[in-house]
Structure formats: structure tokens, C-alpha cells
Amino acid sequence: MPFETPSLPVLIKRTQSDLASDALRQSDAQVLARTLSGAAFGLYGYLDWIAEQILPDKADESTLERIAALRLNQPRKAAQAASGSVSFSAVAGAVLDVDTLLQSSDGRSYKVTAARTTSAGTNSTSIQAVDAGTLGNAEEGLSLILVQPIQGIGNSFTVLAPGVSGGVAEESLESLRARVIRSYRITPHGGAADDYETWALECAGITRAWCRRNYLGPGTVGLFVMRDDDPQPIPNAEQLAQVQAYIEPLRPVTAELYVLAPVMQPVTYRLRLTPDTSAVRAAVEAELRDLHSREAGLGESLLLTHISEAISSAIGERDHRLLAPTQDVPAANNQLLVFGGCVWLE
């Protein structure tokens, strides 16, 4: 039976009743009753807060991080700085030192990570964002300038292909909470499918993972991963290699592991809405995106009835006619059905 915390008026009334007597009615008993009740109410609130810290589903950030440090092999994943390379012009024999600062027009700062003694003409070097996180990611062609001029080296630096990438934000609180709760529900088994998914989720930037046994034949394990928080959620070869390197010393020696990226399969919806307003359209798109997030895992099909249900759940929608898709949407075992937008019919 749950304990119900008394409200402050109830506590005041209780204390007043305890102190009430003919001799004390004209004294300061009323003030004392309110003071004691206020203190008791604060203690009840503190006890409520303590009770919520016991389990991770409602624990505060600091408490959740402590639980994660005790239960997880990889506690809260720290932010990572983006890195890339730049080109610049210089005379022969100029020296570009490590930690030389560069800055973009919007204020983002980068530092040189590889010293160079230049040759005449165009040179290149590697850089890294000063501040960890996604803000350090930059596209090819971004212009950077030296914070302090260096003799013999041009002031302008240009980001080379494929850009400055790899910047990852600190793991969100709810992502950490989900991993901690998962650790209670799933017991390690020394190489079961759930273990591979757990190991993948411990890698920086990985938000979802699916394990498929015997994917490329007996003794093989196919592990598919996603980076939903990145501008490009499909991991590249370098990011897949990082996951592989992390899991290699943890996996059973009898398994051959392949870390792969899912094949994205967009699903485009053609429909007519009643009423057809921008607000209802936005609500329908939000519901369909949520449907994909909840039900369209790797190799999982979308049911036509669930699609119609999601559209009908949109705020403001009174009626609709769905012209495509007209049947359940299948997915191959390496495919991920993603929201491909809506085509609105008049």
C-alpha cells in the first residue's frame, strides 16, 4: 500500500489539535503549531525525494550517474571533439606548431594537432575542435583564420574533404537512463545477442543496435548500429571500425563479428486530410515519425493498420484517406524503414 504524504494544512491541523487545550488557547501555540508543521512538511518532501533516488527511472542526474558508474562498464559517454584536416599556403621552412589556434567566422575554435615544417605553396595539417560536441562539426570548404599571425604562413586555412567530423555531444540523460534500466532487465550471458547490443551501446555516438546470429553463415554475428543524434545517422567505415575495435576484446573467440550499417528504406506517404491545415499536417508527420521510432526496427515491417492508427491519433485530424502505402510495408533483415515524408493530396 503506497504511503500518502500529508499536505501542509493537514499537518497544521494535526499539530493544532495536539496543542489545543483551554490553558493554551490564548498562548503562542498556534504559531508553534504552524512552525512545527512546516518543518515536518519539509522532512516529508525530503523523504519523497530520497525514495525517488533508489531506482533509476526517477533518479536525478547526479544520482543516476552514480548508479551508472556502479552498474555499467561504460558510464555516461563523454562528449567527443570533431577532427579533420585543412590546407593552407606558406613559404618554405615556416613552422606550424601543435595547438596553434584557428577560428571560423561564427566563433568556433580549432587547434592544430600535427606540427608542420612547411614547403613552398600549399600545405595541409590535421585539426581538432577546441570544444567537444556536435558544434565542432564543419563542412568541407569552411574558411578558418589564425588567431595569431605566424611568419611565413598565410592567414587563411580551408577545411578539406570530407570536412571536420566526429564531434559527439555528451550522452543525454534519458539515453543514460535507458541504458541503466536495460542493465536491470537484461542479464549478461557472455556472448548472447543482447550482450553484443549492450557492448555496441557503450560506444560513443551509438544510439541503437541490433544483433543477428549466423548473419553471414554459421559462426558469424552481424551487428547493425545507428547514430541517430548525428546529422548523418548512418555510421561510416571509421565509426563502424571503432565499434568493432571496442567489442573485439569482449566477444567470445568462437564468433566472427561483422559490424554493419543498416540499409535505409524510406517510406513515403500519400494521403488526403480533413481538415487539411498546416497544423494538422505537422501533427500527422510527428505521429508517423514516432511510429517509425517505436515499431520500425531493423528488419521489422510496418503494419497498415498501425499507420492509419498513427494518422488518426494526430491532434486535429478528423478524417483521412491513405493512398500509399496500401498494404503492410515489408523490410529485409538488413533494412530500416525510415520516414520518407508525406505527399499531401488535394
Side-chain angles (χ1 to χ4, degrees):
M1 180 177 178
F3 177 79
E4 186 173 334
T5 301
S7 65
L8 181 56
V10 170
L11 290 170
I12 293 173
K13 187 174 181 179
R14 286 181 186 176
T15 310
Q16 286 175 336
S17 177
D18 292 340
L19 292 172
S21 68
D22 293 338
L24 294 175
R25 282 179 183 175
Q26 302 302 320
S27 70
D28 60 356
Q30 299 299 322
V31 176
L32 181 60
R34 290 179 177 276
T35 303
L36 292 176
S37 300
F41 185 73
L43 292 175
Y44 275 115
Y46 182 63
L47 290 174
D48 284 343
W49 178 82
I50 290 176
E52 290 187 342
Q53 306 312 302
I54 296 174
L55 296 175
D57 58 334
K58 291 187 177 181
D60 288 351
E61 183 172 2
S62 59
T63 306
L64 184 64
E65 289 182 341
R66 289 180 62 190
I67 297 174
L70 294 173
R71 290 196 61 87
L72 303 179
N73 291 330
Q74 177 63 261
R76 191 171 191 176
K77 292 180 273 190
Q80 293 188 341
S83 60
S85 57
V86 291
S87 64
F88 61 98
S89 59
V91 300
V95 176
L96 181 68
D97 292 325
V98 171
D99 292 335
T100 298
L101 290 178
L102 308 173
Q103 194 172 60
S104 65
S105 58
D106 58 9
R108 288 178 289 177
S109 297
Y110 300 85
K111 61 182 179 181
V112 173
T113 56
R116 289 287 184 272
T117 299
T118 63
S119 56
T122 302
N123 296 259
S124 64
T125 188
S126 57
I127 62 169
Q128 184 181 76
V130 172
D131 297 319
T134 56
L135 287 178
N137 294 329
E139 295 182 354
E140 173 189 357
L142 177 69
S143 180
L144 306 174
I145 60 172
L146 286 167
V147 173
Q148 291 185 340
I150 300 175
Q151 185 175 1
I153 295 178
N155 195 49
S156 180
F157 289 66
T158 303
V159 174
L160 299 175
V164 183
S165 60
V168 178
E170 181 184 41
E171 183 178 16
S172 69
L173 186 63
E174 291 313 309
S175 173
L176 177 64
R177 193 186 307 277
R179 288 204 296 128
V180 173
I181 292 174
R182 190 176 189 275
S183 73
Y184 283 85
R185 294 174 176 169
I186 298 176
T187 304
H189 287 91
D194 288 333
D195 294 334
Y196 282 93
E197 294 172 4
T198 298
W199 294 330
L201 292 172
E202 291 173 355
C203 299
I206 301 300
T207 54
R208 288 187 289 170
W210 302 269
C211 181
R212 298 292 183 263
R213 64 189 298 270
N214 296 333
Y215 182 71
L216 296 176
T220 65
V221 174
L223 182 62
F224 295 83
V225 295
M226 284 285 286
R227 300 171 62 95
D228 297 293
D229 295 332
D230 288 4
Q232 174 51 260
I234 299 295
N236 57 34
E238 180 182 354
Q239 292 163 341
L240 294 175
Q242 291 173 355
V243 177
Q244 178 106 25
Y246 179 80
I247 297 178
E248 278 298 327
L250 304 176
R251 69 173 180 82
V253 295
T254 53
E256 186 175 358
L257 174 64
Y258 295 88
V259 181
L260 307 166
V263 176
M264 308 293 272
Q265 185 64 36
V267 179
T268 303
Y269 298 89
R270 295 173 56 85
L271 67 160
R272 182 181 295 113
L273 291 177
T274 304
D276 189 3
T277 66
S278 58
V280 176
R281 288 184 178 186
V284 168
E285 288 188 352
E287 291 293 340
L288 289 173
R289 290 180 187 276
D290 181 65
L291 175 68
H292 279 267
S293 176
R294 288 184 288 107
E295 298 189 11
L298 185 74
E300 295 181 352
S301 302
L302 276 179
L303 301 179
L304 185 62
T305 54
H306 289 198
I307 294 172
S308 294
E309 180 185 18
I311 297 172
S312 297
S313 300
I315 297 175
E317 186 271 353
R318 184 165 59 85
D319 190 19
H320 73 271
R321 184 179 180 187
L322 181 64
L323 301 182
T326 57
Q327 57 187 0
D328 296 346
V329 184
N333 61 355
N334 66 336
Q335 286 184 333
L336 200 62
L337 299 179
V338 296
F339 177 69
C342 294
V343 177
W344 308 107
L345 304 176
E346 300 296 333

